[in-house]
Amino acid sequence: MQKNENSNVFKASWIYDEAPESIDHIQIKKKYELFIDGKFTKPVKGNYFDTINPSNNQKIASVAEASDEDVDKAVKAAREAFLGWSNLSGKERGKYIFRIARLIQERAREFAVIESLDGGKPIRESRDIDIPLAANHFFYYAGWADKLAYAFPNRTAKPLGVVGQIIPWNFPLLMASWKLAPALSAGNTIVLKPAETTPLTALKLAEIIQESGLPKGVINIVTGAGETGASIVNHPDIDKIAFTGSTGVGKYIQKAIAGTPKKLTLELGGKGANIIFEDAAIDQAVEGIVNAIFFNQGHVCCAGSRLFVQESVADLVIQKLKNRMETLIVGNPLDKNTDIGAINSKKQLQTIENYIKIGLNEGGEIYQTKCTLPKEGNWCAPTLFLNVSQSHRIVQEEIFGPVLAIQTFRTIDEVIEKANNTPYGLSAGVWTQTGSKIFHITQKLNAGVIWANTFNKFDPTSPFGGYKESGFGREGGLHGLSSYVKFE
Ligand code: NAI
Ligand code: MG
């Protein structure tokens, strides 16, 4: 990547095969303000923080830190906008949402580059998955806006009011879209906070929102870290909090709003079981294992971070998996050949490295892709652990990195028991050519999302969410819409 110091413009055209003129220069500002009441606004206290490029740990831009006063301004703007927005006909609301979707599509390349620059994910993923899916969420919920009466027959669905949305750093624009699109469709107004390590695509989205002509105050985007999040959570004039992030913060929010009328949905961590039966198509299953745990450096709440292989095929699967791991390219997120990008932050890298130490201390047998990691930035080679059991911490706790814990099993009952034996209940995958086995096991697995002969597939029409410590409430589909309405 070449950077022109004077204009603070990143040249990124070589990322794409066709290198069209329109993406020759990706505009990144030196300083970003808060998006409140339709305008970019300086923070009251004048504080800014740096957002970093995790592939070299260099600063990309300064970003405003919202204090209680700024959050209060944003909530007031959202409250002010609520009556107008919720009384607009569904058809009109849908048009605005549709326009936002179109603008994301038009500027998809710019979004993809910024996402990879700010968060470290491979450009191939930002370009082919995150950004198109983000646009698709807006398209999908644009379609519901004038169909609420059909969505909830025999009941009158009303918006909740002002919604506070707090999102994580693993899928920044996509998580913003999961939250914003259904809330808008149902007629709510919003204060959204992106994660402090990846605020740039949400701020780019703010520019698009301005361009779309969305009435001011309907979406407000405030940046900052946990304190800004807490001031949204604790603001008395917010009707609902929607949160995606760590189980620890989820629990904090649950306690903080206890006894208030605020509604809550939580999408928290996971420890997904990926189960390979002996009759699976083995090569496809190995691809599926790689995708399940190494997609987005394993920064995925529904990652298949526990692998269960039926004993009779375990040696074969593990050998093929190790071979495949040797072909993975770890490096520059902006290179279109990269499979594994940078770990999102120094802090997250420390967490992952600490878990690798724990795994070794507990007697696990490690295997890592043999590769030279770049000197600067935050990197972790794809890693697997053999010789682990249910009681090991790396089997029970979310690592949120490219680290897979492998166990074997003999019977279906044994694997069901083991798969369900963690505090989480978000995702699972099953690989078998026998349809009846899929129907049997999916009834017994305690996971909100279960994939059969695939993994990590997402679609706006499908509800997504967890059980147990993975949280409650669903995003996507009609379920996702119902999280943003009340009935009269
Ligand atoms: P986090 O839960 O602290 O961050 C998520 C969001 O919550 C960010 O926007 C953050 O600013 C905000 N936040 C932090 N403290 C808050 C508070 N007291 N009140 C309101 N908002 C607050 O996650 P973190 O520390 O970045 O990652 C730690 C671990 O959490 C990861 O290792 C992973 O295991 C898990 N995680 C899970 C995610 C998921 O998709 N389920 C996403 C991100 C992290
Ligand atoms: Mg960053």
Side-chain angles (χ1 to χ4, degrees):
M1 188 185 67
Q2 304 154 24
K3 186 179 164 196
N4 178 335
E5 281 301 329
N6 298 327
S7 59
N8 202 20
V9 157
F10 292 84
K11 257 188 113 66
S13 54
W14 54 271
I15 297 159
Y16 299 100
D17 297 325
E18 64 271 43
E21 269 309 291
S22 59
I23 55 126
D24 203 25
H25 291 79
I26 300 293
Q27 297 289 342
I28 296 184
K29 293 192 242 171
K30 286 199 165 138
K31 209 174 188 185
Y32 285 87
E33 316 292 0
L34 307 166
F35 184 64
I36 297 176
D37 207 20
K39 295 183 292 290
F40 287 94
T41 313
K42 288 196 180 353
V44 172
K45 289 194 172 146
N47 293 336
Y48 290 79
F49 62 95
D50 294 347
T51 189
I52 303 289
N53 173 350
S55 74
N56 58 17
N57 281 329
Q58 284 175 16
K59 173 179 172 175
I60 304 173
S62 298
V63 180
E65 184 186 289
S67 61
D68 288 349
E69 292 94 318
D70 299 306
V71 168
D72 187 51
K73 278 166 68 179
V75 173
K76 286 204 169 98
R79 180 60 64 193
E80 191 93 335
F82 177 64
L83 206 60
W85 181 247
S86 57
N87 281 330
L88 211 59
S89 71
K91 187 173 151 214
E92 288 304 313
R93 278 205 310 276
K95 278 193 206 164
Y96 284 111
I97 303 168
F98 188 83
R99 211 173 293 156
I100 294 171
R102 287 282 293 138
L103 287 167
I104 294 174
Q105 256 186 345
E106 275 170 26
R107 290 161 75 174
R109 285 154 190 265
E110 205 175 334
F111 270 113
V113 173
I114 295 173
E115 200 73 301
S116 286
L117 205 57
D118 201 14
K121 66 173 65 205
I123 188 74
R124 199 156 34 83
E125 292 178 9
S126 323
R127 186 190 60 188
D128 297 347
I129 300 169
D130 292 60
I131 310 304
L133 255 182
N136 283 345
H137 271 267
F138 282 101
F139 279 123
Y140 174 76
Y141 283 108
W144 273 123
D146 62 355
K147 300 174 194 71
L148 293 180
Y150 300 94
F152 308 106
N154 308 322
R155 290 185 292 177
T156 309
K158 298 270 182 197
L160 298 173
V162 177
V163 178
Q165 304 182 323
I166 300 167
I167 57 171
W169 41 263
N170 51 345
F171 294 91
L173 186 72
L174 185 58
M175 289 302 105
S177 308
W178 279 29
K179 298 262 180 299
L180 292 170
L184 286 176
S185 183
N188 301 277
T189 57
I190 298 149
V191 177
L192 172 96
K193 190 193 87 64
E196 57 272 33
T197 60
T198 55
L200 294 184
T201 45
L203 291 164
K204 193 93 214 158
L205 185 66
E207 291 172 17
I208 275 185
I209 290 165
Q210 252 185 346
E211 218 176 301
S212 75
L214 187 79
K216 65 187 172 76
V218 172
I219 297 177
N220 304 274
I221 297 179
V222 293
T223 40
E227 275 186 29
T228 306
S231 76
I232 296 175
V233 167
N234 294 314
H235 196 289
D237 198 29
I238 283 202
D239 298 295
K240 178 200 162 111
I241 297 290
F243 173 77
T244 299
S246 62
T247 298
V249 174
K251 285 182 180 174
Y252 157 80
I253 294 175
Q254 221 173 350
K255 284 184 194 141
I257 69 170
T260 76
K262 285 175 196 161
K263 291 198 161 41
L264 178 64
T265 43
L266 294 176
E267 205 269 274
L268 308 174
K271 195 74 189 175
N274 200 8
I275 301 168
I276 318 293
F277 286 101
E278 59 190 0
D279 67 343
I282 297 295
D283 287 337
Q284 279 97 312
V286 169
E287 273 313 296
I289 297 165
V290 167
N291 175 39
I293 184 62
F294 300 131
F295 172 53
N296 197 25
Q297 298 76 245
H299 300 329
V300 182
C301 49
C302 54
S305 49
R306 289 180 299 152
L307 176 65
F308 293 96
V309 195
Q310 200 153 21
E311 213 170 70
S312 52
V313 291
D315 289 347
L316 177 68
V317 168
I318 291 161
Q319 192 50 54
K320 280 180 181 270
L321 176 59
K322 286 178 177 175
N323 293 347
R324 179 68 176 94
M325 281 166 68
E326 287 310 319
T327 69
L328 294 173
I329 299 173
V330 186
N332 185 357
L334 291 187
D335 185 328
K336 62 180 186 290
N337 295 314
T338 293
D339 298 303
I340 315 281
I343 299 300
N344 183 267
S345 65
K346 274 190 193 161
K347 179 183 145 205
Q348 189 59 29
L349 181 60
Q350 278 163 7
T351 303
I352 297 167
E353 285 176 343
N354 191 40
Y355 272 114
I356 291 177
K357 277 196 201 116
I358 291 169
L360 289 169
N361 289 340
E362 286 178 325
E365 180 193 326
I366 195 172
Y367 181 85
Q368 291 185 300
T369 300
K370 294 183 253 336
C371 58
T372 316
L373 299 175
K375 284 207 183 66
E376 309 293 326
N378 317 317
W379 306 94
C380 180
T383 302
L384 63 76
F385 272 100
L386 295 161
N387 209 13
V388 294
S389 62
Q390 287 296 104
S391 59
H392 282 98
R393 283 184 62 190
I394 60 164
V395 171
Q396 290 293 327
E397 297 173 23
E398 182 174 57
I399 301 173
F400 225 61
V403 183
L404 178 65
I406 304 182
Q407 293 177 266
T408 59
F409 69 94
R410 284 187 186 166
T411 67
I412 192 164
D413 290 339
E414 178 194 349
V415 78
I416 289 169
E417 216 250 72
K418 283 182 172 167
N420 286 336
N421 179 14
T422 76
Y424 296 108
L426 187 54
S427 70
V430 184
W431 297 79
T432 167
Q433 313 238 33
T434 313
S436 57
K437 220 183 267 177
I438 295 173
F439 286 115
H440 174 72
I441 196 166
T442 49
Q443 301 304 312
K444 304 262 167 104
L445 290 175
N446 199 0
V449 185
I450 304 174
W451 288 286
N453 297 324
T454 188
F455 211 100
N456 277 337
K457 287 277 182 294
F458 308 97
D459 187 280
T461 65
S462 308
F464 183 96
Y467 299 115
K468 301 197 284 183
E469 297 221 340
S470 295
F472 48 79
R474 295 291 178 266
E475 295 184 293
L478 190 49
H479 294 67
L481 194 64
S482 65
S483 301
Y484 288 99
V485 296
K486 61 186 178 194
F487 298 106
E488 282 185 352

